[in-house]
Amino acid sequence: MILIREASEVFLPDGVATHASVLIEDGRIRDIGRQVTARGAEVIDARGKTLLPGWVDSHTHVVFAGSREFELDLKLQGATYREIAARGGGIGYTVQQTRRVSEERLQAEAELRLDAMLAHGTTTAEVKSGYGLDTKSEVKMLRTVRHLNERHPVDLVPTFMGAHAIPPGVDREDYVRLVREEMIPRVAEEQLAVFCDVFCEEGYFSVEESRAILQAGREHGLTPRVHADELSDSGGAELAAELKAASADHLLMASPRGLKKMARAGVPAVLLPAVPFSLMQKRYAPARKMLELGLDVALATDLNPNCWTENMQFVIQLACFAMGMTPREAIHGATLGGARVLGLEREVGSIEVGKKADLLLVNAPSHLFVPYHFGVNLVETVIKDGVVVCGG
Ligand code: NIG
Ligand code: FE
């Protein structure tokens, strides 16, 4: 048993409790309130600090080999994402690196990032394949996720994303067929993924190709998600609505019509503001408009070699400063919002009796400080499944 005593604020789904304590037993939240005590419990003094749910980072590509720091100079010279890809950078570059390394090496590189994620408060994360782009390498990536999930405190939810790009030298029709007829059945057979994701974008996969791939995934038990309207309005939001996908992600360029369809279909938006930041763009996703339409808005890092941050606090800061979200909306999007996208809202994402004790004690007198006091790691103690795994 752990008693987190007298936090200046406890962040609850519908408000905050001040000067409140939280009791943890058997890895779960047992009690919340001002009067909570427990004889024999280990006590964590939370005075002056805020207790938050662990971050649920619902969109990452944390498994990859190598890095692409050379792209920074190209970006500074004004090159776009597509231009960098055409010059030998981008997804293709990371695919070369990822194919080349052993599973052990891939695991070791990703593990360092998971350590950093945990230290910054992420307790659950989704992870996509998509830097293999052949059956063997896609399976290698997803097995890496499985092994990491077994040995690392951060809970991982795997997504198959063979449709991340068309590999060089491969005919697109042949590749779509390979994804549908070979990769998806193989991934399903080995139970390597929960979701199937597609980069629906001009130059990557068309709406028709994306639909065909996501339907094949669904037939094999994989729930669809969509990288939608990141670089142009390519119909991704509409497709996600049509398929009642678990989410549509990015949505920088989504049309108002697409967003309305998502709202009607109840498809959540996953916003990734570190992406326009890393691409040095002025335009961010229209979060306020989405919230007005009644969309559920989740926030995630998109951690990948183009957008390398393990830090959900930074994402929350960008959501407030660049997209106009309130601190509560942003923290909600980084916790319960992400948990809903992953179908884990009954287990994680909020501080409620009965839920898993995935909790963060942050060095802040209220949740407002999470965006307000930026550029440092405010997370002091991370509790995962009722165990102190960082700080404390
Ligand atoms: O979510 N947009 C497509 N895929 C990733 C970027 C992958 C990469 O550049 O390596 C994303 O932004
Ligand atoms: Fe992504």
Side-chain angles (χ1 to χ4, degrees):
M1 275 195 296
I2 300 180
L3 181 67
I4 302 168
R5 194 159 64 195
E6 263 184 73
S8 79
E9 208 182 88
V10 176
F11 189 87
L12 301 173
D14 50 2
V16 298
T18 52
H19 307 292
S21 302
V22 171
L23 181 66
I24 300 168
E25 195 175 27
D26 297 329
R28 303 251 161 199
I29 297 166
R30 182 66 185 279
D31 204 357
I32 307 164
R34 286 208 177 170
Q35 310 300 339
V36 178
T37 53
R39 206 174 295 156
E42 176 194 336
V43 173
I44 297 177
D45 179 3
R47 280 174 298 179
K49 293 169 195 169
T50 295
L51 192 69
L52 298 167
W55 312 129
V56 179
D57 190 348
S58 56
H59 180 144
T60 88
H61 307 251
V62 63
V63 172
F64 61 85
S67 58
R68 306 212 303 257
E69 68 288 353
F70 60 87
E71 292 181 352
L72 195 51
D73 265 336
L74 300 173
K75 288 177 187 171
L76 286 165
Q77 287 158 26
T80 64
Y81 185 78
R82 286 184 207 282
E83 285 161 0
I84 290 170
R87 283 199 235 168
I91 295 171
Y93 182 89
T94 302
V95 168
Q96 283 174 25
Q97 310 258 310
T98 303
R99 281 181 178 170
R100 204 181 291 152
V101 300
S102 68
E103 206 176 302
E104 291 68 38
R105 173 67 189 272
L106 204 50
Q107 199 172 305
E109 288 194 28
E111 192 160 10
L112 294 175
R113 287 169 218 137
L114 289 178
D115 289 345
M117 287 162 77
L118 187 66
H120 288 83
T122 298
T123 46
T124 301
E126 181 258 18
V127 188
K128 300 173 200 294
S129 71
Y131 292 118
L133 309 188
D134 60 39
T135 307
K136 185 170 133 248
S137 311
E138 286 294 304
V139 166
K140 177 174 81 175
M141 287 191 72
L142 290 170
R143 284 193 184 144
T144 302
V145 179
R146 174 176 283 174
H147 290 145
L148 286 165
N149 193 31
E150 282 161 6
R151 57 186 280 164
H152 201 280
V154 177
D155 276 335
L156 303 179
V157 179
T159 295
F160 166 66
M161 198 177 177
H164 200 192
I166 312 272
V170 178
D171 173 72
R172 51 182 320 123
E173 256 181 63
D174 288 346
Y175 189 67
V176 171
R177 194 173 314 118
L178 183 78
V179 170
R180 299 184 61 197
E181 295 178 10
E182 186 177 300
M183 292 188 188
I184 287 175
R186 178 72 185 281
V187 166
E189 191 193 334
E190 284 197 41
Q191 298 186 353
L192 287 169
V194 172
F195 296 101
C196 182
D197 199 342
V198 173
F199 192 7
C200 181
E201 187 73 52
E202 216 184 298
Y204 294 85
F205 296 88
S206 68
V207 168
E208 290 70 33
E209 290 163 339
S210 300
R211 182 189 289 113
I213 289 165
L214 294 173
Q215 278 171 345
R218 185 166 258 161
E219 280 159 24
H220 285 83
L222 303 177
T223 303
R225 295 186 62 177
V226 188
H227 277 62
D229 307 320
E230 175 185 354
L231 309 171
S232 62
D233 175 11
S234 39
E238 279 96 335
L239 179 66
E242 174 196 320
L243 297 176
K244 298 217 184 317
S247 70
D249 306 40
H250 286 289
L251 299 170
L252 260 88
M253 311 298 280
S255 67
R257 207 166 34 115
L259 296 178
K260 278 187 198 135
K261 285 191 180 165
M262 280 175 60
R264 237 174 283 136
V267 172
V270 177
L271 303 187
L272 312 162
V275 174
F277 181 83
S278 74
L279 292 172
M280 304 178 186
Q281 292 172 1
K282 294 214 168 61
R283 179 166 176 164
Y284 285 72
R288 286 258 55 95
K289 167 142 199 124
M290 294 174 183
L291 290 162
E292 277 162 31
L293 287 171
L295 283 171
D296 270 345
V297 175
L299 292 170
T301 57
D302 199 17
L303 168 52
N304 72 64
N306 172 63
C307 173
W308 192 331
T309 180
E310 287 89 349
N311 186 357
M312 285 289 280
Q313 296 164 66
F314 177 59
V315 172
I316 289 165
Q317 288 146 15
L318 286 174
C320 293
F321 296 153
M323 298 198 296
M325 290 175 75
T326 66
R328 167 159 286 277
E329 287 166 343
I331 292 170
H332 170 87
T335 54
L336 196 53
R340 284 197 182 131
V341 168
L342 299 182
L344 298 174
E345 70 276 15
R346 297 230 295 269
E347 284 290 277
V348 298
S350 58
I351 303 182
E352 291 178 81
V353 171
K355 278 201 175 183
K356 277 196 186 191
D358 290 2
L359 301 166
L360 313 177
L361 198 55
V362 302
N363 187 11
S366 83
H367 71 283
L368 300 178
F369 279 71
V370 177
Y372 168 67
H373 184 179
F374 59 88
V376 292
N377 184 11
L378 295 167
V379 171
E380 242 179 44
T381 307
V382 181
I383 297 173
K384 173 72 192 139
D385 291 319
V387 176
V388 175
V389 286
C390 270

